[in-house]
Amino acid sequence: MKKRLLLLIFVVFQYTQAQQKLDLNYYLPQNITYNQDIPKPIDVIGHEVGEWHVSHDKLQFYMQTLAKASDRIAIENRGETYEGRPILLLTITSPKNLKNIENIRQTHLTNTDGNADTSNQPIVVYQGFSIHGNEPSGANAGLAYAYYLAAAQGPEIENLLDNMVILMDPAFNPDGIQRFAHWANSNKSKNLNPDGNDREYHETWPNGRTNHYWFDMNRDWLPVQLPESKARINTFHKWLPNILTDHHEMGTNSTFFFQPGEPTRVHPLTPSVNQELTAEIGTYHAKAFDKIGSLYYSEENYDDYYYGKGSTFPDVNGSIGILFEQGSSRGHVQESENGVLTFPFTIRNQFTAALSTIEAAYNMRSKILGYQQQFYKNTKAEAAKSKTKAIIFGDSKDAAKTWHLADILQRHKIKFNELKSDVSLNGKEYKKGASYVVPMNQKNYQLINAMFEKRTTFTDSLFYDISAWTFPLAFNLDYTETTSLTNVGDEIKDLQPLQGAITGESSYAYLFEWNEYYSPKALNTILEAGIRAKVGKSPFSVEGKDYDYGTIMVPVQNQKYNKQELHLFLENVAKENNLNITAVGTGLTKGIDLGSNEFDPLKKQQVALLVGSGVTYADAGEIWHLFDQRYNMKITKLDTDYFSRVDLSRYTTLIVPSIYGSALDKSSVAKIKEWVKAGGTLIAYRNAAYWLNSNELMKIDFKKDSSLVAKNIPFDKRRDFRGAQVTGGAIFEAKLDRSHPINFGYKNDKLPLFRNTNIYINPDKNSYNNPIQYTSNPLLSGYISKENLDILKNSVPFKTQSYGKGRVILFTDNTNFRAFWFGTNKLLMNAIYFSKMM
């Protein structure tokens, strides 16, 4: 024991000394000279690379300074994060190329449109760093790498830059990098301590991985819902790079991973040649790591399936995506199975991978440019012979939700047209202005397939991420694949925002339907202003127009505004929320009259959200983002650290996202029970089902399969056996009782739900208590094991019970998944506004 302690002290001393002696030469190739006029990182940020974790403001300042000093670099700001940080891009190439950069870009794009001569074309490489803020070795390596590209001298670097354009994204996640750098630096000791128990290596909730709203941005390349994603997707399609690299970190006891990944977990739309080229590029990484003696591996653990990741998205766009994963020091130095792991060592490995990438790109330039050209030739041929000529999608009752999917298509440079006139196809009504047509015979044919396809058969049962993301299902839109291009209007080249309107001034009442995506935002604006509003619990018709369940009525009389002021206010509400408000002159209807007790009054809501230790931060962040960015609704985030001291009486609703462990102590649970009994509404998600049941807030009849037993499974396949039972993310069909308040605003009696849990609940014996129920054949797209599918059939993903004067509501599925599951956002709004009617 004494010898071990002495050895540990010696090791720490050695690494502390090494840290003190650290300089840029530790990273840089030493067989060349460097331009002395180019500032080194220490000259600008005040410390050596790897001595401290670079904050984003320092990283930004160095990149801007470097661009001013070097004629090889142009820098641009492509937008701002939610926290106001710039989203930078460095374009790095030879000075002569930089002067002609727009012509080079245009010429490069012609390679994807025909038979352009690529013999003299530069190859384009997009290199991005640290999309997860607490995986910082990538962004820190970017300091040394950018310096090398600006300052290195000699024919080797000059020839390389003559034949290459490097698009360098120094910080995929500026907000997360800033957050983690603050944590790591503020917990750093003068005497570096590699003990993994030290606070330095244990971030507080929600940690620095995510962006401002706690999103994992490496899942947003396809949905494009976040500002950082919008910037980089615009850059991608503007350039169509040949290679895109994505620098990450993984567990401390790991070494270094580079793609290709698991051979059986590649999406079928990815060409086999893509994987062959990835493997050939991998030989350059292996050679580079062999040279410095760093351990590495490939073709394990990581897959190439979900196209929403940075290393996979390029693969369906004629490019080659490459994932790098470095074992993380998670601070400045930490013990690992492979010895003491220092932060500078992790940076050097990332720097080495960045260099081996451009070496491979330089040597394989002709081959990779040829692959891109052939990819689009093949795509064009497949599109021309496709039996499906177009996809029509829309929602006759919800133009806004439809518009948002069209916006994603436009960001991905997918062409689409308006409908020439209303049309009915396969029993579905498509309305001009609320529907669009996507011709299949276009350049991005494969990307269209990736976004719209449904897939339920797979070569492997293990997935690193979700197995389904069919966009029209995520948006709950009607869609039809057609074999002819009829009734197609003009191509929409510049998608304009929708226009809301009010039909006129009324002396009686105003009505708007709950179907539109932004109806909850409009209702919140109305109630926040102190205006009375009611909701209709049954359909009716008035003045020649039909209104469905959940229609909102604003009476004119007995309001704080006179009729002229009320009209002006509602006119602004209609415009700001892109919906139509109808003025009516009578309360006499076919169905429930406007003065009927079937119209229930609605109250202003004060909503709280449980956050903090024990809460799944991604789920909480999605809800926060939905309220704050989509619906402009205030939501109070209550942390588990101080929850027991909060007065809940000021809140009408408490949302508990998926939780784990003992997130709330007994006193907090007791407080919640008393609050619900007094009339509060408690809404819980996913794993919180077990919490509700164990704390007797809701009696739940879980549906389980106890017959699953491993038979003829060898020991080394036990993880695969268990992994095959994971429902990582698939889409399932539920049937709706549209008369139930939880389903107000849905025009169809079926709803696609996203599910990534194995929580199953038996239906209630009374059918009216099962307003949302999975069908007997529920799988729409994605992977689920046969055993779990059998349990899922006819189970219920929603349950509600009264509790004293209040109500408890449970969703077993995530209704707000990754900000692009627009189709089920309204379920949460219904639970908030209409809980008293359930």
Side-chain angles (χ1 to χ4, degrees):
M1 183 70 181
K2 185 176 180 181
K3 288 182 178 179
R4 185 180 176 187
L5 182 59
L6 288 172
L7 177 62
L8 179 60
I9 293 171
F10 175 74
V11 169
V12 173
F13 176 77
Q14 288 292 99
Y15 280 101
T16 303
Q17 291 296 104
Q19 192 84 356
Q20 291 172 350
K21 296 175 183 176
L22 183 67
D23 66 29
L24 202 58
N25 290 328
Y26 177 66
Y27 310 106
L28 298 176
Q30 294 303 300
N31 56 345
I32 58 174
T33 59
Y34 293 89
N35 185 344
Q36 297 301 306
D37 293 330
I38 301 297
K40 295 178 179 179
I42 193 173
D43 300 328
V44 178
I45 65 175
H47 61 80
E48 292 287 1
V49 174
E51 182 181 0
W52 295 88
H53 285 253
V54 71
S55 58
H56 184 265
D57 49 0
K58 286 187 174 183
L59 179 68
Q60 166 195 339
F61 188 42
Y62 179 67
M63 296 302 171
Q64 291 168 335
T65 303
L66 197 63
K68 290 179 181 178
S70 173
D71 58 1
R72 297 174 178 174
I73 300 177
I75 192 168
E76 61 180 295
N77 179 12
R78 299 167 294 167
E80 289 186 347
T81 69
Y82 284 123
E83 295 179 10
R85 294 187 175 86
I87 305 170
L88 301 177
L89 181 74
L90 280 66
T91 302
I92 306 173
T93 186
S94 66
K96 70 173 184 179
N97 284 346
L98 209 52
K99 292 176 182 177
N100 193 35
I101 197 67
E102 180 56 22
N103 285 335
I104 289 174
R105 185 183 72 83
Q106 293 287 354
T107 303
H108 176 74
L109 293 180
T110 64
N111 184 41
T112 64
D113 293 326
N115 297 304
D117 180 10
T118 62
S119 58
N120 294 314
Q121 284 188 22
I123 190 169
V124 180
V125 180
Y126 191 155
Q127 294 175 290
F129 301 88
S130 298
I131 200 165
H132 297 144
N134 62 357
E135 299 176 6
S137 56
N140 282 264
L143 294 166
Y145 181 57
Y147 171 78
Y148 168 80
L149 293 174
Q153 295 175 319
E156 182 177 328
I157 186 66
E158 290 168 3
N159 288 337
L160 184 144
L161 293 177
D162 275 342
N163 289 279
M164 188 179 302
V165 174
I166 298 169
L167 306 173
M168 182 182 174
D169 199 323
F172 270 152
N173 182 0
D175 295 346
I177 288 170
Q178 186 80 9
R179 191 184 317 135
F180 180 73
H182 170 75
W183 174 267
N185 292 335
S186 63
N187 285 284
K188 178 187 177 184
S189 299
K190 182 183 73 170
N191 298 294
L192 299 183
N193 185 357
D195 184 351
N197 294 316
D198 191 86
R199 188 171 190 265
E200 181 178 354
Y201 315 113
H202 299 272
E203 295 172 79
T204 54
W205 195 96
N207 73 49
R209 177 183 178 89
T210 61
N211 79 336
H212 177 76
Y213 286 100
W214 311 331
F215 280 88
D216 183 337
M217 292 199 299
N218 197 39
R219 306 297 186 267
D220 195 43
W221 289 76
L222 204 56
V224 206
Q225 294 303 302
L226 307 171
E228 301 90 343
S229 306
K230 292 174 182 178
R232 64 176 177 260
I233 289 301
N234 182 60
T235 297
F236 183 93
H237 288 296
K238 180 180 178 181
W239 272 97
L240 292 180
N242 301 100
I243 297 173
L244 187 148
T245 58
D246 191 10
H247 292 250
H248 287 253
E249 289 183 359
M250 52 184 165
T252 301
N253 288 322
S254 299
T255 59
F256 193 95
F257 169 85
F258 53 80
Q259 284 181 313
E262 290 276 1
T264 60
R265 302 178 198 167
V266 179
H267 197 287
L269 292 178
T270 298
S272 58
V273 179
N274 172 286
Q275 295 296 289
E276 293 167 10
L277 290 171
T278 302
E280 186 174 345
I281 293 170
T283 63
Y284 287 84
H285 305 319
K287 180 182 175 182
F289 280 91
D290 287 342
K291 186 175 180 181
I292 64 173
S294 285
L295 298 175
Y296 58 86
Y297 68 97
S298 64
E299 298 189 6
E300 296 178 38
N301 297 353
Y302 299 95
D303 68 19
D304 246 342
Y305 194 82
Y306 172 47
Y307 285 126
K309 297 187 298 181
S311 58
T312 313
F313 174 78
D315 298 342
V316 77
N317 287 283
S319 304
I320 300 168
I322 298 175
L323 171 67
F324 296 127
E325 292 276 357
Q326 165 64 48
S328 180
S329 65
R330 278 294 186 271
H332 292 86
V333 54
Q334 192 174 170
E335 297 166 351
S336 80
E337 292 177 358
N338 300 297
V340 175
L341 182 63
T342 69
F343 186 40
F345 178 82
T346 67
I347 293 172
R348 186 176 67 161
N349 280 349
Q350 298 278 23
F351 177 86
T352 299
L355 285 188
S356 59
T357 298
I358 58 175
E359 180 186 1
Y362 176 75
N363 291 326
M364 297 172 63
R365 183 182 63 86
S366 296
K367 186 182 292 188
I368 294 173
L369 287 170
Y371 163 72
Q372 185 182 54
Q373 191 173 69
Q374 191 61 47
F375 175 91
Y376 282 102
K377 282 184 182 178
N378 294 343
T379 296
K380 185 177 181 180
E382 289 179 36
K385 66 182 182 182
S386 172
K387 292 181 180 179
T388 300
K389 299 304 178 185
I391 298 173
I392 299 178
F393 68 90
D395 187 325
S396 58
K397 291 278 191 177
D398 191 350
K401 197 169 45 149
T402 309
W403 184 93
H404 278 290
L405 178 52
D407 180 59
I408 295 173
L409 299 182
Q410 183 169 263
R411 292 185 186 281
H412 283 302
K413 309 302 179 186
I414 292 173
K415 296 179 180 179
F416 56 94
N417 298 56
E418 64 180 1
L419 271 180
K420 188 178 292 184
S421 59
D422 296 354
V423 64
S424 178
L425 291 170
N426 299 333
K428 300 172 183 176
E429 300 295 326
Y430 295 99
K431 184 179 177 183
K432 181 180 179 181
S435 303
Y436 302 98
V437 183
V438 183
M440 297 301 286
N441 193 6
Q442 58 173 291
K443 181 176 182 176
N444 286 326
Y445 169 77
Q446 290 291 31
L447 186 56
I448 296 169
N449 284 332
M451 295 179 71
F452 282 83
E453 73 166 8
K454 293 192 291 186
R455 189 179 294 272
T456 56
T457 57
F458 305 90
T459 58
D460 202 316
S461 57
L462 303 180
F463 296 85
Y464 188 78
D465 199 75
I466 61 177
S467 60
W469 52 88
T470 312
F471 275 75
L473 297 182
F475 280 70
N476 186 33
L477 296 173
D478 296 326
Y479 74 111
T480 302
E481 296 180 357
T482 69
T483 56
S484 62
L485 280 170
T486 57
N487 203 34
V488 179
D490 295 335
E491 180 183 342
I492 299 176
K493 296 183 177 180
D494 183 17
L495 185 66
Q496 294 297 310
L498 297 174
Q499 299 295 319
I502 194 167
T503 58
E505 185 176 313
S506 173
S507 298
Y508 194 84
Y510 295 92
L511 301 171
F512 63 91
E513 293 191 88
W514 194 244
N515 303 85
E516 281 285 353
Y517 184 77
Y518 287 107
S519 293
K521 180 183 175 184
L523 177 61
N524 179 67
T525 304
I526 290 167
L527 296 177
E528 285 284 334
I531 295 172
R532 291 186 303 107
K534 292 187 172 186
V535 59
K537 295 185 288 185
S538 298
F540 62 93
S541 300
V542 61
E543 296 182 347
K545 184 176 179 180
D546 296 332
Y547 294 88
D548 208 347
Y549 296 103
T551 295
I552 304 299
M553 177 188 66
V554 180
V556 173
Q557 299 303 316
N558 200 24
Q559 297 279 16
K560 63 183 290 186
Y561 296 140
N562 63 39
K563 72 173 186 177
Q564 291 83 12
E565 292 170 336
L566 182 63
H567 173 262
L568 182 61
F569 177 86
L570 292 178
E571 184 177 41
N572 289 332
V573 169
K575 290 178 180 178
E576 290 174 3
N577 295 283
N578 310 318
L579 52 79
N580 294 315
I581 298 177
T582 303
V584 293
T586 178
L588 189 62
T589 75
K590 292 181 180 179
I592 55 170
D593 291 334
L594 301 191
S596 166
N597 288 333
E598 283 296 291
F599 277 89
D600 273 14
L602 296 168
K603 295 182 179 180
K604 174 183 172 181
Q605 297 295 302
Q606 298 286 345
V607 183
L609 172 67
L610 187 70
V611 302
S613 180
V615 177
T616 303
Y617 60 76
D619 293 30
E622 289 157 358
I623 295 168
W624 178 23
H625 177 269
L626 177 69
F627 274 70
D628 203 35
Q629 290 292 327
R630 296 269 173 81
Y631 290 142
N632 282 355
M633 293 173 64
K634 293 176 183 177
I635 188 167
T636 301
K637 301 183 294 298
L638 302 179
D639 200 289
T640 54
D641 281 350
Y642 59 81
F643 184 86
S644 62
R645 302 190 298 275
V646 173
D647 178 7
L648 292 180
S649 64
R650 65 183 298 169
Y651 305 108
T652 57
T653 304
L654 172 64
I655 303 173
V656 178
S658 189
I659 57 177
Y660 51 91
S662 54
L664 293 171
D665 59 22
K666 290 183 179 180
S667 64
S668 295
V669 173
K671 178 193 289 273
I672 291 173
K673 286 183 174 181
E674 290 304 313
W675 171 78
V676 177
K677 284 180 182 178
T681 298
L682 176 65
I683 303 172
Y685 275 97
R686 304 207 302 142
N687 285 348
Y690 301 120
W691 175 79
L692 290 177
N693 191 58
S694 63
N695 286 286
E696 299 180 341
L697 277 155
M698 176 181 278
K699 186 177 181 180
I700 302 173
D701 181 14
F702 290 106
K703 190 177 182 183
K704 296 182 179 180
D705 180 10
S706 57
S707 64
L708 183 65
V709 177
K711 296 180 179 179
N712 301 316
I713 304 294
F715 181 77
D716 64 348
K717 298 296 181 184
R718 67 195 186 284
R719 291 179 182 172
D720 290 352
F721 171 76
R722 292 196 296 265
Q725 298 306 317
V726 173
T727 306
I731 308 170
F732 302 93
E733 181 181 66
K735 57 184 179 181
L736 304 182
D737 172 1
R738 294 198 314 111
S739 72
H740 195 285
I742 196 63
N743 295 321
F744 283 0
Y746 287 96
K747 73 178 182 64
N748 297 332
D749 60 4
K750 298 289 176 58
L751 178 66
L753 295 174
F754 175 83
R755 159 172 282 261
N756 59 353
T757 71
N758 283 337
I759 301 169
Y760 308 102
I761 300 176
N762 281 307
D764 190 87
K765 62 182 179 180
N766 295 310
S767 61
Y768 53 76
N769 286 331
N770 304 313
I772 309 174
Q773 184 173 13
Y774 284 117
T775 63
S776 57
N777 186 27
L779 181 60
L780 293 174
S781 187
Y783 171 80
I784 186 173
S785 71
K786 180 183 182 302
E787 296 83 358
N788 285 326
L789 181 59
D790 288 341
I791 308 172
L792 180 70
K793 293 175 181 177
N794 300 310
S795 67
V796 293
F798 168 84
K799 190 173 181 63
T800 181
Q801 291 178 359
S802 60
Y803 192 91
K805 295 180 180 179
R807 182 153 293 274
V808 181
I809 295 172
L810 170 66
F811 295 103
T812 63
D813 302 335
N814 187 346
T815 62
N816 316 294
F817 186 65
R818 291 180 181 169
F820 82 98
W821 213 266
F822 280 72
T824 50
N825 287 157
K826 191 159 288 175
L827 292 175
L828 176 57
M829 293 297 113
N830 289 351
I832 291 168
Y833 282 110
F834 309 142
S835 63
K836 300 302 181 186
M837 307 172 206
M838 295 181 189

